Amino acid sequence: MTLISSVFATAFRLASFFFLRVIPSPILQSAIPALLSLYLLSTSFTTKPARSNFNPLAAVIFSLRTPSRFIRWTNIAINSILLLAFVDFCASPYFDHASDVIFSRIGAVSDSSAKILIRYPNLNETIQVVWRESKPNAAWNKGATLNLSEENDWVDTVTLSGLWPSTNYEYALAGANSSLLAYSDSPLQFRTFPDPHLPGGTHFRFLASSCILPNFPYAPLQRRRIRGFDLLAEYLFPSSSDSVMGTAESSNDTEAFSSNNQDVSTSLPASFLLFLGDFIYADVPLYFGNTKESYRRLYRRNYQSSSFRKIYEKLPMFHTYDDHEIINNFSGASNDSTQPYPSASDAFQIYNANGNPSPPPSTKSLSHVPYYYDFRYGDVAFFVMDTRRYRSFPTESSEEKTMLGEDQLIRLLDWLGKANSTATFKFIVSSVPFTSLWGHDAQYDSWAGFVNEKQTLLNAMHSVPNVFVITGDRHEFATIEFAAPAESGFTVTEFSTSPLSMFYIPIYHTLRMQSIETFTRTQTQPIVEEAPSVVADVPTPEATPVPSPEEEAVPQSDELPPHSELVDQPEIETVTEEIPRERVIKYIPEGNYKWSSIEIDTRNPQLPTLKLEVVIDGKPSYQYQFVGTPVKLQGSTALGAFVSTNVKDILKKIGLQPAKWF
């Protein structure tokens, strides 16, 4: 019985370590209390006296019975600490309700507007957003008055409109007497995007990642910390930086992309963060029910984190959701009453979706407000998909399964057709991987389980240049290439990045390096014949004749020299090769904290460039560069970009909003 109790104790300790530091698996969550109970039960039935000859280290590691009181109390302390850590990690999402958190974040920004999301609970005073340009002696403009109510968890979203493109602004919160409130300590800043109709290209950088869980890997007394955001803040806003915001115009191409692995950020400031889903984990480590409060509490907990506050107060964020904002591997089947979607959607809309770009007017005919959307940054276009609300149940036949639903698919294809001639780079954002190379549950939860719809999208993508897919979810990084079957088609590339602050599995990997499916590509190429090797006498320098000026003369006309012969045309051969439809370019499974930094430079229309930097655990780990296909964009009427600042000020003083004219 002594050996059995030691086995249970060791299993309890290993399970606790893996649950708290490696992966918070539901299996381990159930196993830990069971193993502890079995250990205590087996100990109580042990009647055999403790051995007098024992190894102290082994006795501590395996919790062996010994006559040493010190070792017995050491084992009790170790097991108690592990149990307390387990309880703390599991219970914190429930007891740490964060009902008093006050925050404001920057949501969707465009060339003429910005969305601001604010939570200010239990304040018996009218609150108004005031804003101005970030320049000396600028006067405050009055924005919208907040509609804060308990029904919406004291959260409201306002839109600042009539802004100028590529301009720095700041905002604050004011009370009824127009005096600024205590939050925040200083005005919060943002920069509007460039005019998408203006020619000349753009140069900017954005970030992408997904999956966060506070205090994982677990550390004592750190229940509100999200370490991935701490590392991201150090990367974006190093303490040595003179300015947090900066401007894109002052960036340097060489400084903006460095291939050396230094623990510093690039000089080009990030314009926004794409968060690709799993912002909360409603079912990890425990599922506390499908009430609205159960979900809202988890959002408040994240926004309460000082780690996250370093990011959302300084950097615009665009959100989508994935399954863990609802429940693991959720499928909505276009039915908003599917449980637990109503409560999960309520919290997501209040805290994240309302800060996204507003749906296009054409969606007003729908019976619901869609969560998919598109936006522009200069001549770069983005479409963010909703991969949960409309997806078919896994039990449906593969031929009829859809992830996007008919309406979203039509709008995505229409967007792609328009972006073909109006945007240099096109980014399609999916919360789940587009590739079919990941195994395990990705074979039915990612696009691998939606073969027909995926092929429809790929056919359209291959006809458009410079298309990239940005995904998350798998807690690993991979760059995937989708080859075009036809020579006239364009390659599609996927960047899948996660987690921003969550687990990764160090041993078990399921990504195949290339697809089993291939296609045959036939192309023609000249036959290169190797010239026969000739051994010739090399004259000594003294014997080398010096040519006369007449001999050095080169014919200047287009006519061939009198004794020249026409060169034979090379022979052409046809080459057939088998090409995998999908293949991995780079795979990095390691790291609890990952994000991708993507730099776009379209200022030279003949050499549009994308540069990717992947940061793992705070250190740059991989770089990738892509020179895109030149795109002839449609003409521009963006005259507003040429209006001077002085003229802008004059127009504003007489009450005109020129941002609406151009």
Side-chain angles (χ1 to χ4, degrees), residues 449-616:
F450 301 81
V451 178
N452 293 344
E453 193 168 55
K454 174 183 174 180
Q455 192 57 52
T456 298
L457 284 177
L458 265 179
N459 292 340
M461 293 179 194
H462 284 315
S463 66
V464 177
N466 309 330
V467 174
F468 289 82
V469 184
I470 302 177
T471 67
D473 181 60
R474 296 312 299 173
H475 296 223
E476 297 176 327
F477 170 81
T479 299
I480 313 291
E481 182 181 86
F482 301 83
E487 288 188 46
S488 58
F490 299 97
T491 298
V492 176
T493 304
E494 174 181 1
F495 302 133
S496 187
T497 313
S498 61
L500 179 55
S501 195
M502 222 317 196
F503 75 86
Y504 81 97
I505 301 178
I507 299 174
Y508 181 61
H509 302 147
T510 66
L511 184 67
R512 290 179 287 120
M513 290 300 101
Q514 66 179 44
S515 61
I516 299 174
E517 300 82 6
T518 62
F519 62 85
T520 302
R521 177 182 289 171
T522 302
Q523 58 185 4
T524 58
Q525 62 184 32
I527 300 176
V528 179
E529 296 183 357
E530 292 186 3
S533 59
V534 177
V535 179
D537 294 332
V538 181
T540 61
E542 293 80 6
T544 303
V546 179
S548 64
E550 291 79 7
E551 292 173 323
E552 285 184 325
V554 178
Q556 298 299 313
S557 67
D558 293 335
E559 297 180 1
L560 293 174
H563 300 291
S564 66
E565 296 181 0
L566 293 174
V567 179
D568 293 335
Q569 294 295 325
E571 295 184 16
I572 301 297
E573 66 175 348
T574 301
V575 177
T576 301
E577 56 181 339
E578 293 292 324
I579 298 177
R581 293 185 178 275
E582 303 177 22
R583 71 181 183 93
V584 176
I585 297 176
K586 184 66 176 181
Y587 177 45
I588 308 176
E590 297 83 10
N592 291 104
Y593 318 104
K594 303 187 188 77
W595 62 83
S596 286
S597 172
I598 300 173
E599 179 185 343
I600 303 296
D601 192 347
T602 62
R603 293 173 295 181
N604 182 348
Q606 299 305 311
L607 291 172
T609 305
L610 177 150
K611 294 177 180 178
L612 167 76
E613 180 174 69
V614 180
V615 182
I616 310 293

Side-chain angles (χ1 to χ4, degrees), residues 333-353:
S334 298
N335 182 0
D336 284 359
S337 62
T338 303
Q339 294 298 327
Y341 187 80
S343 296
S345 175
D346 165 82
F348 174 72
Q349 182 167 347
I350 289 174
Y351 281 95
N352 286 355

Side-chain angles (χ1 to χ4, degrees), residues 359-366 407 411:
S362 60
T363 61
K364 290 184 178 180
S365 59
L366 300 177
D407 184 81
R411 294 180 190 277

Side-chain angles (χ1 to χ4, degrees), residues 95-285:
F95 290 103
D96 190 15
H97 50 76
S99 59
D100 58 347
V101 62
I102 298 172
F103 74 88
S104 174
R105 76 170 180 89
I106 308 163
V109 176
S110 71
D111 61 312
S112 61
S113 66
K115 282 193 169 184
I116 310 297
L117 191 143
I118 300 113
R119 185 178 194 272
Y120 219 122
N122 303 313
L123 184 67
N124 297 322
E125 184 179 1
T126 301
I127 302 178
Q128 189 175 41
V129 178
V130 294
W131 57 274
R132 64 185 180 185
E133 285 192 42
S134 297
K135 61 182 183 180
N137 303 319
W140 288 106
N141 300 285
K142 291 185 177 181
T145 299
L146 299 180
N147 180 20
L148 301 172
S149 66
E150 188 176 4
E151 179 183 1
N152 290 321
D153 209 20
W154 308 104
V155 179
D156 194 20
T157 302
V158 299
T159 301
L160 307 181
S161 56
L163 309 180
W164 287 90
S166 303
T167 304
N168 290 328
Y169 288 92
E170 59 186 18
Y171 74 94
L173 303 180
N177 58 358
S178 298
S179 60
L180 300 185
L181 300 181
Y183 175 84
S184 62
D185 295 336
S186 59
L188 302 177
Q189 301 181 357
F190 65 91
R191 181 177 176 83
T192 50
F193 291 177
D195 194 318
H197 304 97
L198 179 66
T202 188
H203 185 205
F204 72 104
R205 180 167 66 112
F206 68 94
L207 309 170
S209 190
S210 70
C211 308
I212 58 172
L213 183 67
N215 198 22
F216 192 87
Y218 176 84
L221 307 177
Q222 299 289 327
R223 61 174 57 175
R224 295 181 178 179
R225 187 181 189 188
I226 306 176
R227 179 161 168 74
F229 282 127
D230 286 330
L231 294 174
L232 181 59
E234 293 171 9
Y235 174 81
L236 292 175
F237 317 120
S239 57
S240 58
S241 175
D242 294 330
S243 172
V244 167
M245 291 298 296
T247 59
E249 287 78 9
S250 64
S251 64
N252 180 284
D253 285 352
T254 303
E255 295 174 347
F257 185 76
S258 175
S259 60
N260 56 0
N261 287 350
Q262 296 179 349
D263 204 4
V264 297
S265 70
T266 58
S267 64
L268 184 66
S271 296
F272 57 89
L273 168 63
L274 277 174
F275 198 89
L276 311 174
D278 291 344
F279 179 79
I280 64 168
Y281 276 75
D283 49 358
V284 177

